[in-house]
Amino acid sequence: KLAAEFPSEDIFLITASPVIKAVTNFKQVSKTLEEFDVEEQPSSLLEKRYPNIKVIQSGVKQLKSDEHKIYTEDGKEYIYEKLCLCAGAKPKLIVEGNPYVLGIRDTDSAQAFQKNLAQAERIVVVGNGGIALELVYEIQGCEVIWAIKDKAIGNTFFDAGAAEFLIPKLTAESRETPIECKRTKYTVEGSEEKGRPPAASDKLGSALGPDWHEGLHLKGTKEFSHKVHIEILCEVKKIHSQQEFIQLKQTSLTFPKGEKNVEPDEVLWPVYVELTNGKIYGCNFIVSATGVVPNVEPFLDGNNFAVGEDGGLKVDKHMRTSLPDVYAAGDICTAAWEPSPAWHQMRLWTQARQMGWYAAKCMAADALGESIDMDFSFELFAHITKFFNYKVVVLGKYNAQGLGSDHELMLRCTKGHEYVKVVMQNGRMMGAVLIGETDLEETFENLILNQMDLSAYGEDLLNPDIDIEDYFD
């Protein structure tokens, strides 16, 4: 976006990764909903497309904002007029430096995971966001103990009702073949042949695209397809090595067979997880999928950034940080403006793309001394994804975020087919969750945006016999 705004200026992209992530197959589904694929491409493609872009492959060592200088790991320095920090976020690992604990964040870690899984009989997955959900659904031939801190799965994206709707898919023995996924597989060009050294854990690859598990063969050693046991309302208290566990003289548990049937485990496992609910499970390894923290480290030293409670660099409504000429976008930043009532920040690909695009517009407007309006994509939170092979659309305050107890929910659910939930406040629609092919996203988007009073319709709003999209067209 910057290269197009400033065709005669030099644009430097400094990145530690040999590839860039490109947005392809972009589709505007509705006013605020968009679908796209994310694929890795060699950086030369970007330089070919825009002759004024130069990609510098090196990590950043230091930012001296008072001198408008960036120092890179390879010993060079660059002077900037304007700078945008888009360094993303890194996975929160439950413990650092334990070989049995894997984070899944980028292509390298997803491939390491696949390798480890091939020899595994049981793994423990910790976390309840998008990656954990997809992972647990995709794994076959391996027992999965899934520890979540909430009452129900997928808490980031939906409520307990939607979780109930999805659970049968998780335990079904036979799996339907997924609809052929058009998103590309991720490989780093030529990495296999050249024996590229794996990224050191502190050098982070870029975040995976939305279909990161496609093309990975996620199968363990066992013959059955699906065995998932969910431990709710708990976190990891401690991780014990085999040696430590033997000294503990405590009992670990087998994979639960029924409600009451919990037996002590005779097998010795490489690593043991003690949960806050008192249970101990042995396993081959642990997947830590507990979300991300903004990757701000190289930039904080010697710079007086305002930092949000979630650890991100605070930005105003023009994506400016608290330091002159330094902007930030995507996972690294914390939206510190007064948000529209139906929008909130979430560290997702869709928001990263929108923020990057909008930050470039803001940098251009500031450079030219023009004023700029907040981009429309920040009017309404809207995200479209897939879980367990269902299309999932979340709009606005879909979990009644920040509405207090003063709201009501309306539900429509057809088992195995669709799940529709709307969040209402004072007769107005504030948010919605749509699972399955409901075709309601555009209608609901409009109803949330225009805040029309719907009290007169009552429960009929979700009546399947009333064609609501025609009605509000």
Side-chain angles (χ1 to χ4, degrees):
K1 182 70 179 154
L2 278 175
E5 295 273 348
F6 296 106
S8 53
E9 299 273 353
D10 290 330
I11 316 286
F12 285 1
L13 173 62
I14 300 177
T15 169
S17 155
V19 289
I20 53 167
K21 294 270 165 155
V23 167
T24 56
N25 302 330
F26 182 83
K27 272 211 313 275
Q28 194 72 44
V29 179
S30 65
K31 274 188 224 147
T32 57
L33 274 172
E34 47 192 48
E35 265 193 305
F36 54 86
D37 302 332
V38 180
E39 61 180 61
E40 291 181 339
Q41 295 178 345
S43 48
S44 53
L45 278 182
L46 188 63
E47 295 178 320
K48 274 200 200 82
R49 204 175 314 145
Y50 297 101
N52 57 329
I53 293 183
K54 184 169 171 9
V55 180
I56 294 149
Q57 195 196 321
S58 174
V60 170
K61 194 159 91 195
Q62 199 190 6
L63 160 65
K64 287 197 173 170
S65 58
D66 47 352
E67 298 174 29
H68 279 56
K69 270 187 192 166
I70 283 272
Y71 293 84
T72 50
E73 300 271 354
D74 58 10
K76 298 197 173 68
E77 58 180 77
Y78 300 90
I79 293 177
Y80 62 84
E81 278 175 60
K82 291 199 177 309
L83 169 71
C84 189
L85 299 175
C86 306
K90 51 187 181 180
K92 277 191 242 177
L93 278 185
I94 31 185
V95 286
E96 294 289 338
N98 184 324
Y100 292 107
V101 177
L102 303 182
I104 294 190
R105 164 71 194 172
D106 50 29
T107 319
D108 280 337
S109 57
Q111 280 164 349
F113 167 71
Q114 177 185 346
K115 244 200 341 260
N116 284 311
L117 182 65
Q119 275 93 53
E121 292 179 33
R122 183 192 297 162
I123 67 169
V124 171
V125 175
V126 184
N128 200 10
I131 285 196
L133 271 170
E134 283 298 303
L135 193 62
V136 170
Y137 179 66
E138 292 292 334
I139 288 171
Q140 299 187 351
C142 178
E143 295 173 350
V144 178
I145 307 282
W146 185 9
I148 61 175
K149 66 178 191 307
D150 312 289
K151 269 213 291 282
I153 64 165
N155 179 273
T156 337
F157 291 95
F158 35 70
D159 59 352
E164 279 304 302
F165 173 80
L166 289 172
I167 289 246
K169 266 292 196 57
L170 201 52
T171 45
E173 267 300 308
S174 63
R175 306 295 298 279
E176 70 269 37
T177 335
I179 295 103
E180 192 36 54
C181 179
K182 61 182 187 327
R183 296 204 173 102
T184 29
K185 319 286 183 255
Y186 306 111
T187 51
V188 175
E189 281 301 301
S191 63
E192 273 73 26
E193 300 84 81
K194 291 206 279 301
R196 184 173 63 94
S201 54
D202 55 337
K203 300 279 176 291
L204 281 169
S206 39
L208 292 158
D211 272 326
W212 60 274
H213 52 77
E214 284 289 321
L216 285 178
H217 180 62
L218 298 185
K219 196 156 174 17
T221 56
K222 301 212 168 190
E223 275 315 300
F224 55 79
S225 69
H226 237 151
K227 273 202 180 171
V228 179
H229 170 72
I230 304 171
E231 288 284 350
I232 60 166
L233 295 171
C234 68
E235 294 181 60
V236 172
K237 183 175 168 187
K238 204 165 183 318
I239 292 174
H240 303 283
S241 67
Q242 192 182 73
Q243 199 50 46
E244 289 164 346
F245 173 72
I246 295 169
Q247 285 162 355
L248 265 185
K249 299 207 175 9
Q250 292 213 352
T251 311
S252 74
L253 304 175
T254 56
F255 190 88
K257 291 190 186 56
E259 281 307 295
K260 300 281 175 276
N261 192 352
V262 180
E263 296 168 5
D265 199 347
E266 302 300 323
V267 185
L268 262 188
W269 295 92
V271 64
Y272 287 82
V273 179
E274 183 177 347
L275 300 173
T276 48
N277 61 12
K279 296 182 183 174
I280 300 179
Y281 287 102
C283 61
N284 292 97
F285 65 92
I286 298 139
V287 179
S288 174
T290 46
V292 296
V293 280
N295 190 25
V296 293
E297 265 166 57
F299 311 109
L300 294 183
D301 192 27
N303 300 300
N304 197 12
F305 280 110
V307 175
E309 282 171 26
D310 56 9
L313 304 175
K314 280 186 173 180
V315 292
D316 65 10
K317 62 176 196 290
H318 290 162
M319 306 310 286
R320 294 180 290 225
T321 65
S322 54
L323 298 181
D325 297 322
V326 182
Y327 299 71
D331 286 2
I332 194 175
C333 78
T334 299
W337 65 83
E338 188 54 51
S340 125
W343 186 86
H344 57 276
Q345 183 180 8
M346 205 164 155
R347 291 185 162 84
L348 297 165
W349 266 104
T350 35
Q351 289 197 3
R353 196 201 71 81
Q354 289 161 349
M355 284 181 173
W357 187 86
Y358 175 60
K361 278 178 66 167
C362 293
M363 289 163 83
D366 288 349
L368 304 166
E370 295 168 358
S371 69
I372 182 172
D373 287 333
M374 190 83 206
D375 190 76
F376 187 74
S377 58
F378 301 106
E379 280 301 301
L380 173 69
F381 177 88
H383 186 59
I384 187 165
T385 184
K386 259 186 118 125
F387 286 126
F388 300 9
N389 239 1
Y390 286 109
K391 172 174 157 185
V392 176
V393 176
V394 279
L395 297 170
K397 302 288 183 191
Y398 58 91
N399 259 350
Q401 293 93 330
L403 296 184
S405 54
D406 171 30
H407 68 272
E408 52 188 51
L409 304 178
M410 285 200 264
L411 286 181
R412 171 171 110 205
C413 177
T414 315
K415 219 173 161 179
H417 178 61
E418 61 164 21
Y419 175 91
V420 177
K421 174 186 86 166
V422 292
V423 179
M424 306 291 291
Q425 189 174 44
N426 306 327
R428 287 164 175 79
M429 193 181 293
M430 301 303 290
V433 175
L434 307 171
I435 304 179
E437 297 297 332
T438 64
D439 285 330
L440 291 169
E441 50 267 29
E442 224 164 330
T443 309
F444 284 6
E445 172 185 61
N446 287 327
L447 292 176
I448 297 171
L449 282 168
N450 66 27
Q451 286 295 287
M452 176 178 163
D453 186 353
L454 304 166
S455 346
Y457 303 100
E459 297 285 311
D460 272 343
L461 202 55
L462 295 186
N463 183 338
D465 304 324
I466 296 175
D467 197 347
I468 187 162
E469 35 316 10
D470 282 0
Y471 191 83
F472 287 109
D473 233 7

